[in-house]
Amino acid sequence: GLAPYWLNVDGALFLSDKADVLGRVTTSYDQRITRQLILQPRGELNFSLQDMPRNRIGAGISSLELGLRLRYEIQREFAPYVGVSWERRLGNTADFARAAGEDTGGFSLVAGIRAWF
C-alpha cells in the first residue's frame, strides 16, 4: 500500500506445508531526480515465528536489508536499474550462519529490469 508521504509499504506472510510461518515487510520511496531518472531507497525486514534449523532461520527478526537503487524509466512499465544493497542476518539466524561458517551480512551490487504489464 501507499503510506503517508508516498512511502510504498508491502507486506507478505508465508505458510509452508510444515506449518512454518514467515513474513516480510518491504518499504521504498521513489525520489524523482528527473522525469525518467528515479532514486529509490529501500528497506526489507524478514521474520519467522519459530526456529527452522533445517533452513538455518531463527525465530524473531531474521534479516534486515537496506539498499539504494537508481532506475531509468524508458517507459513507466519498463525501467532498468542499478544499485547497492546491505544485508545483515540477525538473532538466531545469524547464529545459524556463524555455526555453518557463513558471513552474517555484507554489501552487494544489484542490477535488473523493472517490468510490469
Side-chain angles (χ1 to χ4, degrees):
L2 196 58
Y5 304 104
W6 298 98
L7 187 68
N8 295 313
V9 179
D10 295 317
L13 196 60
F14 307 99
L15 178 63
S16 77
D17 59 351
K18 295 175 179 57
D20 297 327
V21 180
L22 298 121
R24 175 181 301 142
V25 176
T26 305
T27 184
S28 65
Y29 179 76
D30 288 349
Q31 177 63 52
R32 290 199 175 270
I33 297 171
T34 66
R35 196 167 176 197
Q36 294 175 309
L37 196 61
I38 296 134
L39 186 65
Q40 184 185 58
R42 326 172 27 91
E44 182 177 296
L45 187 67
N46 293 297
F47 61 91
S48 173
L49 294 185
Q50 67 275 5
D51 282 331
M52 295 180 287
R54 278 179 293 123
N55 299 330
R56 294 186 299 216
I57 298 174
I61 297 174
S62 58
S63 67
L64 170 68
E65 183 179 341
L66 300 173
L68 193 61
R69 293 182 182 178
L70 182 64
R71 98 175 161 260
Y72 184 78
E73 286 187 349
I74 296 169
Q75 293 181 357
R76 186 159 170 79
E77 298 84 10
F78 184 79
Y81 63 85
V82 295
V84 63
S85 179
W86 174 80
E87 182 188 7
R88 173 75 185 194
R89 295 178 190 166
L90 304 169
N92 291 342
T93 304
D95 294 339
F96 286 132
R98 284 187 204 100
E102 299 174 357
D103 289 334
T104 58
F107 285 92
S108 60
L109 296 175
V110 295
I113 296 174
R114 176 181 162 175
W116 54 277
F117 303 95

